[in-house]
Amino acid sequence: MPHTAEAPSRRAIASWCLYDWANSSYNTIITTFIFSVYFARGVVGDEVAGASRWSAALTVAGLLIALLSPMLGAVADRTGRRKPWMALFTALTVVFCAALWWVKPDPSHALFALVCVVVGTVAFELANVFYNASLTALAPPRMLGRISGWGWGIGYFGGLACLVVALFVFVKSPAPLFGLLDTAEQAPVRATALLAAAWYGLFALPFFLFVPDVPATGLGIRQAAREGMATLRRTLAETRKYRNTLRFLIASAIYRDGINTITAFGGIFAAHAFGMTFEEILLFAIALNVVAGVGAIGFAWVDDRMGAKPTILVSLIGLTAFGVPLLLATEKAWFWVLALGLGAFFGPAQAAGRSMMARLAPPGMVGEMFGLYSLTGRMAGFVGPLAFGLATTLFDSQRAGMASVVAFFVIGFGLMLTVREPAPGDANTVRQSAAA
């Protein structure tokens, strides 16, 4: 579908951005900071074995996401409307997230927990495919960068706010949930899953109420599935027609993998290299979220004025410029300064990547292209952690592991130089740019 010509209402923009605020609760509480740790320590009772099983579950989820996201994106392009798909996958995420409340600190509950996490994570990522694709129905080309950046930045603050509530009202409170929860069977920690589910469901509602959707095409689901799958097969078979888009997908997958690797292993690196305590790491995570959110929002205007490609290139330069001296730092104070400087470019690189994909997607193929965006990210997702692990083992140094990650920014930068960003305008420009 072509981009809307009219400026969206402020209510629609705020509602779209609020979905980023809503869904950040799942990543922050479930997959990163609280429930993953509880699963390893409390449910399995062995941190190494628990981390291994958790990683295996997320690997299964990643494979399912890689398989399903392009397929469903192509089907949704044929049916037109995206909000029903988003509603389905949002509801599934909320339900399976809430179900984690019943995971008690007993190894017999581990399988149930992993099933919930796999289904919830797959649904979460598929909802994001349609959420990202909905940007083109909301924003005219001149506002793609701003709205994408605002959403990404607000998402950082949403995850931070939910984490603060979880920690100080549930986990670390002397009277969890104002005395309503006792500490038997880790009830305060388990209750954070209910918090994340409620947070996601509540703050996602404005999206479904106020954000415009693409009109329905009138195709039934079976016919849409047949046509969508045929289009996807044709797209994959004729990738030479989308050489420019393919270069962007590869470049973005590489630099996104670098960012994701830093966020996954940054706490481990800080604890090992600088002797930071858990409380210091938590404080650092809060500060990093604030800086990353401000960076994403601040660069939103740069995206629309200069373009998504220059924004990505500047962000990759910033990530490299702060990343190299960070590897050489030996004092904790310098680590804080350089790491927060690095974090300021996390959001802009990813938000501009989303707006760039929206600009490159040919009309009628937005869902499919965002599905491929998710696919390429998942396909490259193992490379960063693998490189970090190999370099750390080979040189017996986590600094060497982090140095391998900086290479991802340099490679991503080089590949992005070859990508042609379409000028704002008509569909022909987009088609020509995708094939350039």
Side-chain angles (χ1 to χ4, degrees):
M1 295 294 171
H3 291 292
T4 179
E6 301 296 328
S9 70
R10 292 182 179 179
R11 184 172 65 178
I13 293 173
S15 299
W16 190 88
C17 292
L18 200 60
Y19 191 88
D20 251 320
W21 169 284
N23 69 12
S24 295
S25 63
Y26 184 83
N27 270 337
T28 303
I29 302 298
I30 305 302
T31 63
T32 305
F33 286 111
I34 295 180
F35 207 88
S36 58
V37 177
Y38 164 68
F39 175 81
R41 290 180 180 174
V43 180
V44 177
D46 181 318
E47 290 194 41
V48 175
S52 177
R53 295 175 71 177
W54 186 269
S55 176
L58 292 184
T59 300
V60 171
L63 291 172
L64 291 172
I65 293 160
L67 176 66
L68 294 173
S69 53
M71 295 167 52
L72 290 174
V75 172
D77 284 335
R78 295 295 151 306
T79 59
R81 298 182 66 199
R82 299 189 183 102
K83 286 169 75 171
W85 295 95
M86 272 190 67
L88 170 63
F89 292 119
T90 297
L92 283 173
T93 308
V94 169
V95 168
F96 280 90
C97 180
L100 292 171
W101 157 257
W102 284 279
V103 177
K104 295 183 179 180
D106 186 317
S108 65
H109 288 243
L111 180 59
F112 175 73
L114 293 177
V115 170
C116 289
V117 168
V118 168
V119 177
T121 301
V122 171
F124 172 86
E125 292 292 348
L126 293 178
N128 268 334
V129 170
F130 300 107
Y131 171 59
N132 291 335
S134 70
L135 179 61
T136 59
L138 173 72
R142 63 183 176 82
M143 295 184 69
L144 281 173
R146 263 170 291 179
I147 296 176
S148 179
W150 293 341
W152 207 281
I154 288 171
Y156 278 115
F157 289 113
L160 172 60
C162 190
L163 177 62
V164 169
V165 173
L167 286 173
F168 295 105
V169 178
F170 292 85
V171 179
K172 291 187 174 294
S173 172
L177 197 60
F178 313 107
L180 297 177
L181 290 173
D182 60 35
T183 56
E185 297 184 315
Q186 297 286 331
V189 176
R190 290 159 45 215
T192 62
L194 297 177
L195 169 67
W199 188 284
Y200 193 173
L202 177 65
F203 290 113
L205 282 177
F207 178 95
F208 299 103
L209 294 174
F210 304 121
V211 175
D213 198 0
V214 177
T217 62
L219 286 182
I221 187 66
R222 290 185 179 179
Q223 183 179 354
R226 286 195 298 270
E227 293 186 8
M229 291 306 300
T231 301
L232 177 59
R233 286 193 295 269
R234 187 164 57 249
T235 300
L236 294 174
E238 300 177 352
T239 51
R240 64 184 182 278
K241 291 185 178 180
Y242 304 99
R243 293 187 300 273
N244 188 53
T245 301
L246 182 62
R247 289 195 296 271
F248 167 71
L249 289 172
I250 295 171
S252 68
I254 291 172
Y255 76 70
R256 283 185 289 153
D257 193 25
I259 293 173
N260 292 336
T261 303
I262 286 181
T263 56
F265 293 97
I268 297 172
F269 174 70
H272 175 78
F274 297 94
M276 292 176 67
T277 64
F278 177 77
E279 288 73 18
E280 287 178 308
I281 291 173
L282 186 59
L283 183 61
F284 171 69
I286 291 172
L288 192 64
N289 267 329
V290 171
V291 169
V294 171
I297 294 171
F299 270 82
W301 283 273
V302 177
D303 187 333
D304 282 332
R305 286 182 175 273
M306 296 175 55
K309 177 181 174 179
T311 303
I312 294 170
L313 293 175
V314 168
S315 298
L316 294 177
I317 291 172
L319 288 167
T320 305
F322 280 97
V324 172
L326 178 60
L327 297 172
L328 305 175
T330 57
E331 297 181 9
K332 191 181 295 185
W334 276 112
F335 169 80
W336 273 84
V337 171
L338 295 169
L340 292 180
L342 187 80
F345 294 97
F346 285 175
Q350 296 179 94
R354 177 164 63 185
S355 66
M356 182 75 163
M357 186 71 266
R359 290 181 171 104
L360 283 171
M365 296 178 64
V366 178
E368 179 182 344
M369 287 299 171
F370 270 106
L372 293 173
Y373 186 67
S374 177
L375 169 64
T376 52
R378 288 288 167 177
M379 288 177 64
F382 74 94
V383 180
L386 178 63
F388 176 88
L390 289 176
T392 298
T393 302
L394 182 63
F395 295 98
D396 193 25
S397 168
Q398 287 193 15
R399 291 181 186 272
M402 280 297 176
S404 70
V405 177
V406 175
F408 283 62
F409 302 140
V410 176
I411 295 170
F413 181 90
L415 291 174
M416 275 301 304
L417 289 175
T418 69
V419 177
R420 177 173 175 258
E421 180 174 7
D426 60 27
N428 290 328
T429 302
V430 176
R431 289 194 184 94
Q432 291 165 5
S433 179

